[in-house]
Amino acid sequence: MAGNGQDAPADVPERIPPGQHLVHGWPVSHYGSVPRFRPQRWNLRVFGATASGDERQWLFDDLAALPHTTVVADLHWATGSTSTGHEWYGIPARALLDLVPPAPGVSHVMAWAEYGYSANLRLSDFDAPATVLATHHNGEPLTAEHGFPLRLVVPHLYGYKSPKWLRAIEYLTEDRRGFWEERGYHNIGDPWREQRYSYQENPGEGPGRG
């Protein structure tokens, strides 16, 4: 297992977005309590505006048969911290789109997690090459505090777009705000553009804003 406290590579300053500062390790950050994993009740759903009109479900043991990939990426929190060099192993989001194609009019997805937590994404962000439904981090299964058994990782956006304890992906033909987006965070969340808060949104960057 690779350590989280290794010396930072020489290119790290170029990987730190504006307004961010480098932190070592992997801080735990979430809202509410850590859910208990009950494998007999757990499944992953894809529903909403699917091309077939049907939803698809996988049990936890079914995940091993899906395509997998490894992604090395940084994490950026909207509170200003950046942690570098995380190795994720899991199901590429593109594979999920291939297995359950969205209807032609789909423009966004809603990622649903335990306790009704949600994060909305443009379809292009969900379909990005580094977006992964992660089961492992640095060669080890995710811990409960970091999202076991499954978390969405969208490394090119702020961390609130990467919900832990993922349970479902909903295909949307119209954008709508997720949990933090309804509470004042930016609808897109690009750290390189410092899109932290909803008051910074330009027309077209969020529902109801032109």
Side-chain angles (χ1 to χ4, degrees), residues 7-22:
D7 291 338
D11 65 340
V12 160
E14 299 177 359
R15 289 156 49 183
I16 308 300
Q20 299 290 110
H21 64 274
L22 180 66

Side-chain angles (χ1 to χ4, degrees), residues 125-204:
D125 291 317
F126 186 71
D127 191 31
T131 301
V132 63
L133 286 67
T135 58
H136 290 67
H137 175 265
N138 285 357
E140 298 288 345
L142 292 169
T143 64
E145 293 78 9
H146 284 299
F148 179 84
L150 192 68
R151 74 176 288 167
L152 182 64
V153 178
V154 189
H156 65 282
L157 300 180
Y158 283 125
Y160 64 89
K161 293 292 188 177
S162 296
K164 306 175 184 181
W165 312 300
L166 186 71
R167 293 298 306 272
I169 298 296
E170 179 185 4
Y171 294 160
L172 305 175
T173 56
E174 293 184 2
D175 191 15
R176 67 176 190 266
R177 296 179 188 271
F179 180 89
W180 287 115
E181 295 81 8
E182 288 183 335
R183 289 160 174 80
Y185 280 80
H186 199 285
N187 196 58
I188 297 175
D190 183 344
W192 294 97
R193 297 175 63 190
E194 295 192 79
Q195 293 176 328
R196 302 175 192 273
Y197 304 113
S198 58
Y199 71 80
Q200 299 171 305
E201 290 173 13
N202 295 316

